[in-house]
Amino acid sequence: MLKNISFLHYRKYQRIFITAICVALASQVQFNVFVPGFIVALSALLLPIFLYFNQDINPLQLGCAIAIASPAFRGLILLLTHNATHVVAYTIADILYFLLYTLIYYLLYWRLVYYNDSAFFLTIIICDYTANLLEIGFLTKFNGYTVQVLSIVFVVALVRTVIASLIAFIIHYFQLLIVNNEEHERQYHHFIWVASAVKSEVYFMCKTIDDIEQVTKKAYVLNEHLKKEGYSEEQKMAYEIAQHVHEIKHSYQNVIKGMGDYFDDQDNVSMRMDDILKIVSSYTQMIIRSRHLDINLVVHNTVDCVVPKHYYLVTIISNLILNGIDAIGHKRNGEILIQVSQKGTDVRLAVTDNGSGISREILPVIFEPGFSTKFSQSGDIYRGIGLSNVQIIVQEQFAGHITVDSTPHIGTTFFVTMNKDQLMSSKEVMA
């Protein structure tokens, strides 16, 4: 079941490994300034560009990798041109530079929920300047600081930051020309996420109208029965209950009409599967960062199709991912894999996490209405839409089914099978 988890680690740490090697090689393009052993290297330009485009990777892990790889390359070259004492000193200085650089970046920028270019630019200046000062201080036993050195180091940090930021921003905004600007994209993702939740709630409100009507009818019948039996007080209470329930029904109908007209699927453009997965992964990564969790999210899609009822599909995927996030919690090296594939006439969605798993005792009842394992500190249940309602949407809207495979303390995989024709149909089903 969880054989793909090693693949997730490989994808994440592969990028860290490649970056560490690239930065180490770039550090060889250099020239000496100020004091022996202190260098201005190309690696200081490459590192912030990588950080900008890989904001899902913990910079502390990256810093440790670079602190190992870069001195290894530089130390080999220094060993051929300097004595052993200098090699050790320069290598330690290199290690201190990258460790402090990534630590400051982690504290000042990476832990933010919302990223922006201004904060990134200012953070990189601080990282570069402070790390350089530490490197100079170590090489000179903290006796090499002068006003001229401090000024020139700041200018060097500023120039390198400007160049690196311009490269990163130009590449980034060139990409955004295709899909509109970053803020619009974030707002659009937020809208789809919220609209999906509202659309699903309205869907189940529609399904409860009949239940409300039955309660109203029974209250009126009880009212007539008590009236015949001469129970005036009880009859009055039954009548008031019928009236209140009838008012609730009308309130539901007004909400359903207003929200239903606004989110009518016939008036909404269909979305490609890739775009749906992009929205879900983007928003859930923000949730992961806001909770300061160590969870890597990987999406693998091989299905090219358009989905008219994308609100419901976003609801399904997001609920399964959020369950995985809750199951992982603050566990280190958390992993969630979302896979979408096609088999025959069906589209298969699998959401795998390496969280706490589900015990054998409660596994058979997780799709029962009202079931939840999520409680607040006061004991209230965090219900949300619930797995039972996810199952209903899968069955009624996409003619599919959902199953689960879980091993306690190892992880869980939810499998969702949907009919592709129904997935690509714009007709909404109300059972």
Side-chain angles (χ1 to χ4, degrees):
M1 175 189 67
L2 296 175
K3 61 182 180 180
N4 290 304
I5 292 300
S6 59
F7 168 75
L8 298 181
H9 280 290
Y10 178 73
R11 286 287 299 275
K12 180 178 180 180
Y13 290 107
Q14 181 187 44
R15 284 183 286 157
I16 294 177
F17 175 77
I18 292 174
T19 302
I21 297 300
C22 290
V23 171
L25 293 174
S27 67
Q28 305 313 307
V29 182
Q30 58 190 249
F31 56 91
N32 292 294
V33 294
F34 309 140
V35 297
F38 176 72
I39 60 173
V40 176
L42 183 61
S43 56
L45 292 176
L46 186 61
L47 178 56
I49 295 174
F50 177 85
L51 290 172
Y52 186 82
F53 288 105
N54 293 272
Q55 296 179 359
D56 62 315
I57 290 181
N58 190 321
L60 298 181
Q61 296 175 338
L62 178 61
C64 292
I66 298 175
I68 295 173
S70 182
F73 281 86
R74 188 184 179 197
L76 180 63
I77 294 177
L78 290 173
L79 194 61
L80 301 176
T81 58
H82 297 73
N83 60 51
T85 302
H86 288 159
V87 171
V88 172
Y90 298 160
T91 300
I92 294 176
D94 224 22
I95 293 174
L96 292 175
Y97 174 86
F98 288 112
L99 289 180
L100 182 60
Y101 190 111
T102 51
L103 175 61
I104 295 174
Y105 182 83
Y106 171 82
L107 294 175
L108 296 185
Y109 184 79
W110 190 78
R111 296 181 65 185
L112 297 177
V113 176
Y114 293 102
Y115 297 149
N116 65 77
D117 292 344
S118 298
F120 177 83
F121 179 79
L122 293 175
T123 302
I124 294 302
I125 292 179
I126 296 173
C127 292
D128 196 324
Y129 183 61
T130 307
N132 275 337
L133 289 181
L134 176 63
E135 186 176 7
I136 292 175
F138 177 81
L139 292 172
T140 62
K141 297 181 181 180
F142 299 95
N143 293 319
Y145 296 130
T146 65
V147 174
Q148 181 183 14
V149 169
L150 295 177
S151 300
I152 296 178
V153 170
F154 179 77
V155 171
V156 170
L158 178 61
V159 171
R160 291 197 298 199
T161 302
V162 169
I163 295 174
S165 297
L166 282 177
I167 294 173
F169 296 165
I170 289 172
I171 295 174
H172 180 58
Y173 285 111
F174 179 77
Q175 295 172 337
L176 289 178
L177 288 176
I178 303 174
V179 293
N180 214 329
N181 61 72
E182 182 179 335
E183 184 63 26
H184 175 76
E185 185 178 20
R186 182 186 297 124
Q187 292 177 353
Y188 179 66
H189 290 183
H190 179 72
F191 169 78
I192 294 296
W193 183 275
V194 174
S196 299
V198 173
K199 177 73 174 177
S200 299
E201 293 294 344
V202 170
Y203 176 73
F204 289 106
M205 288 174 68
C206 290
K207 294 177 70 65
T208 60
I209 288 293
D210 289 339
D211 295 333
I212 294 175
E213 184 65 30
Q214 291 299 319
V215 173
T216 304
K217 290 180 179 179
K218 290 180 179 179
Y220 274 119
V221 170
L222 179 61
N223 165 68
E224 293 298 322
H225 176 73
L226 293 173
K227 183 177 180 180
K228 290 179 180 180
E229 296 294 330
Y231 297 101
S232 58
E233 292 297 326
E234 290 80 357
Q235 177 262 330
K236 181 180 179 181
M237 185 180 297
Y239 182 75
E240 290 176 351
I241 291 173
Q243 283 186 317
H244 289 320
V245 174
H246 189 68
E247 291 174 2
I248 292 173
K249 174 187 173 182
H250 277 296
S251 297
Y252 263 55
Q253 288 174 329
N254 290 335
V255 172
I256 290 169
K257 185 178 185 304
M259 301 304 292
D261 291 343
Y262 189 75
F263 295 109
D264 188 353
D265 285 333
Q266 295 180 355
D267 298 330
N268 287 284
V269 179
S270 301
M271 293 185 65
R272 304 197 70 83
M273 181 66 74
D274 280 337
D275 294 329
I276 293 173
L277 294 171
K278 180 181 179 181
I279 289 172
V280 174
S281 61
S282 174
Y283 207 78
T284 51
Q285 283 176 346
M286 187 186 74
I287 293 174
I288 290 170
R289 291 196 300 268
S290 68
R291 298 183 185 180
H292 305 296
L293 303 178
D294 182 19
I295 300 176
N296 187 38
L297 188 67
V298 175
V299 179
H300 185 249
N301 174 38
T302 59
V303 178
D304 183 17
C305 68
V306 293
V307 182
K309 296 178 287 187
H310 50 80
Y311 289 134
Y312 293 133
L313 187 57
V314 169
T315 297
I316 293 169
I317 301 174
S318 61
N319 271 269
L320 296 180
I321 293 176
L322 290 175
N323 282 338
I325 292 175
D326 291 333
I328 294 172
H330 290 277
K331 175 182 177 181
R332 296 186 60 186
N333 297 321
E335 306 285 356
I336 297 179
L337 171 65
I338 302 97
Q339 295 174 293
V340 181
S341 59
Q342 182 173 347
K343 184 175 182 180
T345 59
D346 293 329
V347 172
R348 306 184 71 179
L349 164 70
V351 179
T352 301
D353 68 75
N354 63 344
S356 58
I358 304 173
S359 67
R360 298 299 180 187
E361 291 75 16
I362 66 174
L363 193 61
V365 298
I366 62 172
F367 294 111
E368 295 294 328
F371 173 81
S372 177
T373 59
K374 306 171 187 177
F375 296 86
S376 67
Q377 292 180 352
S378 60
D380 297 327
I381 298 177
Y382 294 127
R383 294 196 180 277
I385 185 177
L387 287 173
S388 62
N389 289 336
V390 169
Q391 184 181 55
I392 291 173
I393 293 177
V394 171
Q395 293 172 344
E396 295 184 355
Q397 297 303 320
F398 302 121
H401 61 272
I402 180 172
T403 58
V404 60
D405 183 10
S406 183
T407 303
H409 310 298
I410 295 180
T412 302
T413 299
F414 284 95
F415 300 97
V416 179
T417 301
M418 299 168 285
N419 181 272
K420 187 174 183 180
D421 291 337
Q422 193 67 30
L423 185 68
M424 299 177 66
S425 172
S426 61
K427 183 179 179 181
E428 185 171 325
V429 180
M430 286 299 298

